[in-house]
Every structure is written in structure tokens, then in C-alpha cells.
């Protein structure tokens, strides 16, 4: 390829889905992207943060063998640039002077032309990079074919110092590789951060973000560029891989993008649904499960999870099972069957009465003279969980867990029962949000989803009062405040960490708020044993919120409840503490 004059630059954005630990696979993606970018006459191909390792690698990156494998892959890719074609900007772990850095390597002319190290290591929320990486020195720009490129890495643009240093040392443009995970409204936050840096220093910016699921995190892509006047230069799609070349021209000392895609973003509930589907798809596929199985109860949580699973994997890889007992209503049986038919999944009914009878017979000598209580209800959930896990073992299918964030917040779930499973796509969605997304899916389907068009969740599932059907005429509101009341309280307690007094001042009943806070506190031991699931809110249970199980702290200024013995005895206190 002929060299361009220094006033033109074609930058290919490789918004791709890496897999943590698959160094060879990630390197092969780099090669394929380079070939595609060469066909688009690109000068430079930019990949997301730590692309060779996959992001976030967590403590895996501390293994010397892993570090050496990443370095070898980078050196191999560097040698392959000797024959010309686009240069590469690839993120990788890099050991230098006995320290491990989050690095970006410029590969050109058969070698490693430059290395830059991440300076500002995030250590909040889902991030703990200070645990594994050393901060790099303040960087200067890299001279690439006559253009001085500033190469801050992700968090480096969230503060002012790194970008200011690059501007003062002569950078003409910022190229920023990112591993920025999705949560609700995150796109606006990213854009505002980038706009702030451009406003301060007047440097056009190319922001490259990864896409895909990694355990609890989902990366949504939406890579973009900004001109020096903060106008949008280009924007790539959300939740999709893409390799797009953008063409930049320098006029009057300032770079502008002459051509590049400008695709609309996916927002609000549609973004949450898309994130759940992508997170489930990648968890199943990257862990090499041939498919999934889930209990389809006739309720909205399992129906939404079934729809997400079909959208993620296709109906042929989803198996749904109704597990009825004497408390299962005809309404639930009919609704589950209708939902399964609409989705086109394999569906079967396996009654759990024989299993319950076996448990009751085995336990009869120990339970003589004792009344039925939540213990017998939990036996139903555990029988269902055991059957689903048996099918998982026999057919190598991953069990999809279907509990929502409202239930997990207050412990309205059974350990080793309905909490069984490998991954939960709705774990970070409150019950009211589950209802909303179910209605959304009936009217809309994400681009690339493998499920059928049109309504797939019977309207009766969405409109009927929620019930676990573990006893006669049971309703969730027998044990919990109405979800329309509960969920706003939970959001304030969990996401915002508001004090009880502030929640009451917002109009909520003091006794209800105190009761909800108490349930959250005593359910920590259950959440610690829950399956991972997609993060969609500002603060999820798992990487974001790490509370001690043994914990006697309560909000100062509120009455202290009586000591709760449920964790010791397994007996619920006043039906507010939920049993093992």
C-alpha cells in the first residue's frame, strides 16, 4: 500500500469481542481484522483495551505463563507487519522492569514501534486494576507516519491530567482503546467525559470500545469519534462487532473525519434487554455449552428468561421444562405451554409429586408432630432444582437461573432450589423491570436476535399477580410489599445507598423501609451463593456490592430490630426472613 501524505489518516475501528484467556483466538481476530482493514485501505487498526488477554483478566494476568504468552502473541503480530499494510494498536499486559502494566503496543514495520502504559488505574465498582497492574508514567504522544497520536487508555481520559500532558507534549489527536462495560445510561456518561476532554484541550478523539460478555459484565461497543469542536465524527452500533474505517483529513492544523458511519444507539429498556441477551449468549458460548435448560413455571421471570435464551441461542438450543405440583394452577400450565409454543422450544412436563413424596417419607421420623411451614415449600423448590440439575448433567446443558433482583435483594428465593443454575440473565433487573421488558419483547426484537418476531410471552403472564405457587392461593404480596413500592425502596437502598431517613422523607413508610432494609441485610448469605448474571444497573450484586455476611451494622437513628435467629436455626422470623 502506498504511504499517505501526513495530512490524511485512515483509522480502522476494530470493535470486537475478545475472550479472556484465549490468546491465540484473540490474536487470530487481530489478523482477520487487519486483513479486512487492509481491504478498506486503512493506515492503522485500533483494538480495545487488553485485547490480546481479554478484558478484564482479573488475577489471571498475574500468572507468569499468561504474561509470557501475551507477549509472544504481540511479538508474532509485530513480525507480521513487516510486509506493509496497516499498523496495529493492540492492548496487552506487558512486563517492564519487573512491573506489570496495562499496555498498548503500536506494531509496525515488523516490530514494536512504541509502547504506552495506562496511568490511571480504576479501583472502584467493578474495577480493581490496582490489584494487578502498576501505574505507568505520564505519556507523550507517539509519532505515527507524521502524525503525533496521544494514546491514553480508557480511564486515562476520565481525569484531566493524562490528556493535558499529551496536549502539552504535542499530541494532535487522541486514540483511546477502552474496555468500558455497559450499565444503564453509561453511553451518555462516556460521551460527556470525552466531550469534556475535547473541550479542555481541543484534540479530536477516537474512542474504541470492546463488545461482548465476560462473566457478569457486558461491553456494548458504541465506539465513536469527536471533532475538535465536539461534534460527533462517527459512531458504531451497540452490542455488535464491527470493523469500520474512518477517514481523517488535517486542514489548518486540525483533524476532521471526512467519512465514517453514524449509527443510532440503543437506549433505555432496549439496551437493557440487548445486554441481557448478549451476556447470556457469550457466557454459554464462551464456556462451550451446547445449550441451556430452564424451568418454565408460567410466571413472568422464567418466560422472559426463555425469550432471552431463544434470542441469544436459537430455539434449537433451549429446553424448557414445566415442573408442576399440586399447587400449580391450570392457568400456569396453559400459559407455560403457550409461551413454549410461541418460542418454538423443546418443552416437556415432569411432575415433582413423586420426589416430594420421597422427601416427606424420608423426613417423617425427624418431623413427627411438627406442623408444615416454609420447610415443605422449600422442598418443592429443591425438588425442581434437583431435576433441572440432573438434566443439566445428563445432557451437558447449562441451567438458566430466573430469579430477579427484587427477589435476590430480600432473599425471596430458595438456596439449592430456584437459585440453582449457571447463569442468570435477569439477575440485575427488578421485578417491575422484568414486567416492562416482557411487554417490550412482545413488541420489539433486537437486531440479530434468533427468536421469532411478534409476541412470545402470553399477555396473561404479564398481567396476572406474581406467585411462587408453593402453597394454596399464594401471592408474592403475602410475604413482600407490592413490587411498585418495594422496587423504588430497593433502588434507593442498593444503588444509591440512601439512608432510611432520606427514603422516608421521599414519601415511603418508615416501617416498610425498615423491614426492607432488614431483609436485604439478612439475605447476604444467599446472594453470596447465587449464580452470576448480567450487570445492567449502576450497582449489581456481585462485583459492585461486596457486603460482609456477618454484619450487625444498621442505619443509625432507626430502631434496632430484635435479634434474628433465622441464620442459625433456618426458621424464618415473622415471615420476613427467608429460610435456606
Amino acid at each position: 500500500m502506498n504511504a499517505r501524505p501526513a495530512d490524511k489518516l485512515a483509522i480502522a475501528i476494530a470493535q470486537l469481542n475478545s475472550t479472556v484467556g484465549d490468546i491465540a483466538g484473540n490474536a487470530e481476530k487481530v489478523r482477520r481484522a487487519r486483513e479486512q482493514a487492509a481491504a478498506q485501505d486503512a493506515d492503522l487498526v485500533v483494538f480495545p483495551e487488553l485485547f490480546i488477554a481479554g478484558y478484564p483478566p482479573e488475577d489471571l494476568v498475574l500468572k507468569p505463563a499468561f504474561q509470557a504468552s501475551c507477549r509472544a502473541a504481540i511479538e508474532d503480530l509485530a513480525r507480521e507487519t513487516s510486509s506493509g499494510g496497516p499498523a496495529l494498536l493492540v492492548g496487552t499486559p506487558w512486563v517492564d522492569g519487573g512491573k506489570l502494566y496495562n499496555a498498548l503496543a503500536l506494531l509496525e514495520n515488523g516490530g514494536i514501534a512504541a509502547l504506552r502504559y495506562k496511568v490511571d488505574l480504576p479501583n472502584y465498582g467493578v474495577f480493581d486494576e490496582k490489584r494487578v497492574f502498576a501505574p505507568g508514567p505520564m505519556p507523550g504522544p507517539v509519532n505515527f507516519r507524521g502524525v503525533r497520536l496521544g494514546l491514553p487508555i480508557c480511564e486515562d481520559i476520565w481525569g484531566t491530567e493524562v490528556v493535558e500532558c499529551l496536549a502539552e507534549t504535542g499530541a494532535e489527536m487522541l486514540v483511546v482503546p477502552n474496555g468500558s462495560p455497559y450499565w444503564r445510561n453509561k453511553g451518555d456518561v462516556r460521551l460527556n467525559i470525552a466531550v469534556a476532554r475535547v473541550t479542555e484541550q481541543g484534540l479530536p478523539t477516537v474512542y474504541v470500545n470492546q463488545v461482548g460478555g465476560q462473566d457478569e459484565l457486558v461491553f456494548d461497543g458504541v465506539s465513536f469519534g469527536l471533532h475538535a469542536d465536539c461534534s460527533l465524527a462517527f459512531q458504531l452500533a451497540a452490542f455488535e462487532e464491527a470493523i469500520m474505517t474512518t477517514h481523517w483529513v488535517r486542514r489548518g492544523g486540525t483533524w476532521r473525519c471526512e467519512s465514517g458511519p453514524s449509527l443510532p444507539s440503543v437506549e433505555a429498556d432496549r439496551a437493557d434487554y440487548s445486554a441481557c441477551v448478549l451476556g447470556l449468549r457469550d457466557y454459554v458460548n464462551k464456556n462451550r455449552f451446547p445449550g441451556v435448560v430452564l424451568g418454565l413455571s408460567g410466571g413472568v421471570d422464567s418466560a422472559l428468561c426463555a425469550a432471552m435464551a431463544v434470542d441469544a441461542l436459537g430455539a434449537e438450543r433451549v429446553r424448557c421444562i414445566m415442573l408442576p405440583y399440586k399447587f400449580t394452577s391450570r392457568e400456569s400450565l396453559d400459559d407455560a405451554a403457550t409461551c413454549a409454543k410461541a418460542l418454538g422450544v423443546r418443552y416437556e412436563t415432569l411432575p415433582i409429586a413423586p420426589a416430594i413424596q420421597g422427601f416427606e417419607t424420608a423426613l417423617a421420623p425427624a418431623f413427627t408432630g411438627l406442623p408444615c411451614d416454609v420447610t415443605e415449600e422449600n422442598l418443592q423448590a429443591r425438588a425442581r432444582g434437583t431435576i433441572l440439575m440432573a438434566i443439566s448433567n445428563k445432557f451437558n446443558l447449562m441451567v438458566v437461573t430466573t430469579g430477579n433482583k427484587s427477589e435476590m435483594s430480600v432473599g425471596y428465593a430458595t438456596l439449592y432450589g430456584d437459585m440453582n443454575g449457571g447463569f442468570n440473565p435477569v439477575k440485575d433487573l427488578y421485578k417491575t423491570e422484568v414486567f416492562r421488558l416482557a411487554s417490550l419483547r412482545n413488541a420489539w426484537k433486537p437486531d440479530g436476535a434468533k427468536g421469532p418476531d411478534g409476541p412470545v410471552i402470553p399477555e396473561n403472564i404479564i398481567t396476572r399477580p406474581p406467585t411462587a405457587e408453593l402453597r394454596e392461593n399464594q401471592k408474592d404480596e403475602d410475604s413482600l410489599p407490592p413490587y411498585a413500592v418495594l422496587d423504588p425502596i430497593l433502588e434507593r437502598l442498593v444503588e444509591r445507598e440512601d439512608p432510611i431517613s432520606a427514603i422516608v422523607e421521599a414519601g415511603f413508610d418508615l416501617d416498610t423501609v425498615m423491614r426492607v432494609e432488614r431483609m436485604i441485610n439478612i439475605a447476604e448469605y444467599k446472594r453470596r451463593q447465587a449464580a452470576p448474571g448480567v450487570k445492567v444497573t449502576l450497582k449489581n450484586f456481585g462485583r459492585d456490592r461486596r457486603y460482609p455476611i456477618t454484619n450487625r451494622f444498621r442505619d443509625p437513628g432507626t430502631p434496632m430490630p430484635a435479634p434474628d435467629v433465622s441464620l442459625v436455626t433456618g426458621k424464618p422470623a415473622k415471615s420476613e426472613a427467608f429460610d435456606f
Side-chain angles (χ1 to χ4, degrees), residues 38 137 234 256-257 343 367 495 510:
F234 69 88
R256 288 192 67 84
C257 183
L343 289 167
F367 287 1
E495 268 91 335
L510 172 61

Side-chain angles (χ1 to χ4, degrees), residues 384-421:
R384 293 183 172 112
T386 298
I387 290 171
L388 289 173
M389 288 306 300
I391 290 172
S392 171
N393 291 160
K394 185 65 70 175
F395 299 101
N396 198 30
L397 301 174
M398 188 197 77
V399 176
V400 172
T401 316
T402 64
N404 60 68
K405 191 171 187 176
S406 304
E407 295 169 349
M408 291 312 305
S409 295
V410 298
Y412 194 55
T414 303
L415 279 172
Y416 326 120
D418 55 319
M419 289 178 63
N420 276 3

Side-chain angles (χ1 to χ4, degrees), residues 336-575:
T338 301
C339 184
K341 183 177 180 180
L343 289 167
V345 298
R346 177 175 177 179
Y347 177 71
E348 56 210 295
T349 299
L350 301 177
I352 65 170
I356 298 300
Q357 291 163 6
F359 281 131
E360 289 177 343
T361 299
L363 290 165
F367 287 1
T368 299
L370 297 176
C372 290
D373 56 19
V374 72
T375 306
E376 284 72 20
E377 294 181 21
N378 285 345
L379 281 179
Q380 298 169 52
R382 293 195 174 108
R384 293 183 172 112
T386 298
I387 290 171
L388 289 173
M389 288 306 300
I391 290 172
S392 171
N393 291 160
K394 185 65 70 175
F395 299 101
N396 198 30
L397 301 174
M398 188 197 77
V399 176
V400 172
T401 316
T402 64
N404 60 68
K405 191 171 187 176
S406 304
E407 295 169 349
M408 291 312 305
S409 295
V410 298
Y412 194 55
T414 303
L415 279 172
Y416 326 120
D418 55 319
M419 289 178 63
N420 276 3
F423 194 77
N424 183 351
V426 300
K427 180 181 180 180
D428 203 25
L429 295 172
Y430 292 113
K431 186 76 169 191
T432 49
E433 294 168 342
V434 168
F435 280 115
R436 206 165 64 231
L437 293 195
S439 294
L440 170 69
R441 178 56 182 87
N442 279 347
W444 165 86
K445 184 180 76 172
D447 291 341
K450 298 178 184 240
D453 295 327
V456 292
I457 299 174
E459 190 64 24
N460 191 57
I461 286 179
I462 299 172
T463 57
R464 68 185 292 208
T467 172
E469 293 191 321
L470 297 176
R471 61 178 181 268
E472 200 70 48
N473 299 317
Q474 183 185 29
K475 298 290 184 291
D476 288 5
E477 290 184 11
D478 297 341
S479 302
L480 304 173
Y483 287 112
V485 174
L486 175 63
D487 287 355
I489 294 174
L490 291 174
E491 192 272 337
R492 286 166 169 82
L493 288 170
V494 175
E495 268 91 335
R496 303 188 203 177
E497 300 275 13
D498 282 352
I500 287 177
S501 58
I503 301 173
V504 173
E505 287 173 6
F508 294 91
D509 174 70
L510 172 61
D511 290 340
T512 302
V513 175
M514 288 180 57
R515 178 187 169 204
V516 171
E517 192 227 15
R518 178 173 174 271
M519 288 191 287
I520 291 172
N521 288 329
I522 62 177
E524 187 62 41
Y525 73 104
K526 289 188 177 181
R527 290 190 291 271
R528 204 62 83 81
Q529 300 179 67
V534 177
K535 170 183 166 68
V536 297
T537 67
L538 182 63
K539 185 172 290 188
N540 73 331
F541 291 124
R543 295 179 66 94
D544 273 326
R545 189 180 187 275
R546 309 176 195 182
Y547 269 53
I549 296 172
T550 305
N551 170 24
R552 291 191 179 181
F553 178 80
R554 296 298 180 264
D555 190 339
T558 58
M560 193 72 174
D564 175 36
V565 297
S566 67
L567 294 181
V568 178
T569 66
K571 293 290 185 181
K574 298 182 181 178
S575 80

Side-chain angles (χ1 to χ4, degrees), residues 192-260:
N192 289 337
I193 292 292
V195 166
R197 300 293 86 79
V198 173
T199 300
E200 291 160 1
Q201 305 301 335
L203 296 178
T205 296
V206 174
Y207 184 105
V208 181
N209 194 28
Q210 77 178 54
V211 69
Q214 170 58 30
D215 294 345
E216 294 174 305
L217 301 182
V218 172
F219 299 86
D220 54 324
V222 199
S223 301
F224 63 88
L226 294 173
H227 295 124
D229 61 5
C230 294
S231 61
L232 190 67
F234 69 88
Q235 181 170 284
L236 272 57
F239 305 105
E240 296 178 15
E241 288 190 298
I243 301 169
M244 297 282 186
T245 297
T246 61
H247 296 272
W248 295 77
V249 176
R250 178 164 48 188
R251 293 194 180 98
T254 301
W255 288 91
R256 288 192 67 84
C257 183
E258 277 195 328
S259 64

